[in-house]
C-alpha cells in the first residue's frame, strides 16, 4: 500500500510492539515505584521526626538507591530475555542452513494453521522465504523481529529516569509545606500522581483506566499508611 493512507493510522504497523511495550513497562513501573517507595520512606521518617535534614537525607538516599536498583534489575531481566532470543534465533538460523526444505514445510504448516489453504500457504511461505527466510521464520515461529530485539540499556535507562522523576514529587511534597501540613500534602500529591500515571498507562495500553487507577492509588495509600504507622511507633518509642 505504498503511497496510500492506512485504514487504521494509529495502530503500530511500523513500530515494534514488543519494544514499545518493553519501554512502557519499564517506564511506568519505574515511575510508580519511585512515587510509592519514596513517599513511603519520607512519610515514615516525617511521622517519626520533624527534622528536615533527616527527611531530606532519607529521601535522597532512597531515590538514589531505588533508581540504581530499578536500572540494574531491568538490565539483568532484559539481558536474560535478549540472550534467550538470540539463542532461539541462532538455532533457527542453523536449522534453515541445514534443513531448508523441512523449514519451508514447517512455515507452510504455520500458515495453514492460521486458516490459509494448502496452496496459498505454500505460496506465501515460498515468497517470504525468497524475500528473507530468516526474518520470516523468526516472526512466524518465534514471534521475534531479528532486527529489533529488546534492548537492556533502553529498559535500564528508562526505568532509572522514570523512577527518579517519580521520586522527586513526594520528596518535594514533604519538604516544601509547613511542618504541620507535610504529611497531608504528601499524601494528596502522591495519590493524585498515582492516579495520573495509572490513567496514562492504561490509555496507552488500551485497558480500563478505572481499574488501573484504583490499583495504583489503593496500593500507594496502603504503603504510606503502613510506613506512617511504623514512623509513629518509632517516634513514640524514641528509636
Amino acid at each position: 500500500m505504498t503511497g496510500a493512507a492506512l485504514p487504521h493510522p494509529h495502530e503500530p504497523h511500523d513500530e515494534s510492539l514488543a519494544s514499545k511495550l518493553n519501554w512502557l513497562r519499564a517506564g511506568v513501573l519505574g515511575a510508580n515505584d519511585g512515587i510509592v517507595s519514596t513517599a513511603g520512606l519520607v512519610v515514615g521518617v516525617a511521622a517519626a521526626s520533624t527534622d528536615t535534614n533527616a527527611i531530606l537525607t532519607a529521601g535522597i538516599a532512597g531515590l538514589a538507591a531505588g533508581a540504581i536498583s530499578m536500572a540494574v534489575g531491568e538490565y539483568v531481566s532484559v539481558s536474560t530475555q535478549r540472550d534467550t532470543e538470540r539463542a532461539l534465533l541462532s538455532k533457527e538460523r542453523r536449522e534453515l542452513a541445514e534443513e531448508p526444505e523441512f523449514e519451508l514445510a514447517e512455515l507452510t504448516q504455520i500458515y495453514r494453521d492460521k486458516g490459509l489453504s494448502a496452496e496459498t500457504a505454500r505460496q506465501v511461505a515460498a515468497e517470504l522465504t525468497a524475500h528473507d527466510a530468516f526474518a520470516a521464520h523468526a516472526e512466524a515461529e518465534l514471534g521475534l523481529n531479528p532486527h529489533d530485539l529488546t534492548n537492556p540499556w533502553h529498559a535500564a535507562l528508562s526505568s532509572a529516569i522514570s523512577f527518579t522523576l517519580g521520586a522527586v514529587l513526594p520528596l518535594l511534597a514533604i519538604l516544601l509545606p509547613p511542618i504541620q501540613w507535610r504529611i497531608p500534602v504528601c499524601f494528596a500529591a502522591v495519590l493524585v500522581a498515582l492516579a495520573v500515571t495509572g490513567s496514562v498507562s492504561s490509555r496507552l495500553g488500551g485497558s480500563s483506566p478505572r481499574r488501573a487507577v484504583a490499583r495504583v492509588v489503593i496500593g500507594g495509600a496502603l504503603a504510606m499508611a503502613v510506613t506512617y504507622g511504623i514512623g509513629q511507633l518509632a517516634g513514640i518509642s524514641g528509636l
Side-chain angles (χ1 to χ4, degrees):
M1 292 183 64
T2 304
L6 292 172
H8 304 289
H10 299 296
E11 292 183 2
H13 296 284
D14 297 324
E15 182 182 2
S16 168
L17 183 58
S19 295
K20 179 182 177 181
L21 291 178
N22 182 60
W23 172 86
L24 177 62
R25 176 181 62 86
V28 171
L29 286 178
N32 284 342
D33 197 23
I35 294 170
V36 175
S37 62
T38 305
L41 181 61
V42 296
V43 164
V45 176
S49 170
T50 59
D51 186 346
T52 300
N53 287 332
I55 298 171
L56 177 61
T57 300
I60 292 177
L63 185 157
I68 294 171
S69 176
M70 288 290 291
V72 171
E74 280 296 323
Y75 180 83
V76 171
S77 174
V78 177
S79 291
T80 302
Q81 178 184 344
R82 189 181 178 92
D83 290 343
T84 301
E85 291 172 347
R86 283 176 168 171
L88 291 172
L89 290 172
S90 178
K91 179 175 180 290
E92 190 62 37
R93 192 188 296 276
R94 185 173 63 252
E95 291 176 348
L96 279 169
E98 296 174 353
E99 302 175 299
E101 289 301 321
F102 176 82
E103 289 297 304
L104 178 60
E106 186 177 34
L107 188 59
T108 300
Q109 187 59 49
I110 288 174
Y111 287 110
R112 288 201 65 186
D113 292 341
K114 290 179 180 292
L116 298 182
S117 65
E119 181 180 352
T120 303
R122 177 76 179 186
Q123 181 180 353
V124 169
E127 291 184 8
L128 289 175
T129 298
H131 175 68
D132 189 339
F134 181 55
H137 282 265
E139 180 180 1
E141 294 184 39
L142 306 175
L144 298 174
N145 180 349
H147 308 298
D148 189 21
L149 298 180
T150 50
N151 190 316
W153 287 108
H154 288 174
L157 184 61
S158 172
S159 184
I161 292 174
S162 59
F163 183 98
T164 300
L165 293 176
V168 166
L169 184 139
L171 189 55
L172 293 177
I174 203 78
L175 292 174
L176 295 180
I179 292 176
Q180 65 271 24
W181 288 101
R182 279 177 173 173
I183 293 176
V185 168
C186 187
F187 260 84
V190 165
L191 295 184
V192 170
L194 289 176
V196 171
T197 59
S199 177
V200 170
S201 64
S202 67
R203 292 183 187 281
L204 289 175
S207 60
S208 169
R210 183 177 300 177
R211 290 185 178 180
V213 169
R215 283 194 295 264
V216 294
V217 168
I218 292 173
L222 180 61
M224 288 187 291
V226 169
T227 57
Y228 174 79
I230 293 173
Q232 284 277 292
L233 291 175
I236 292 172
S237 62
L239 295 178

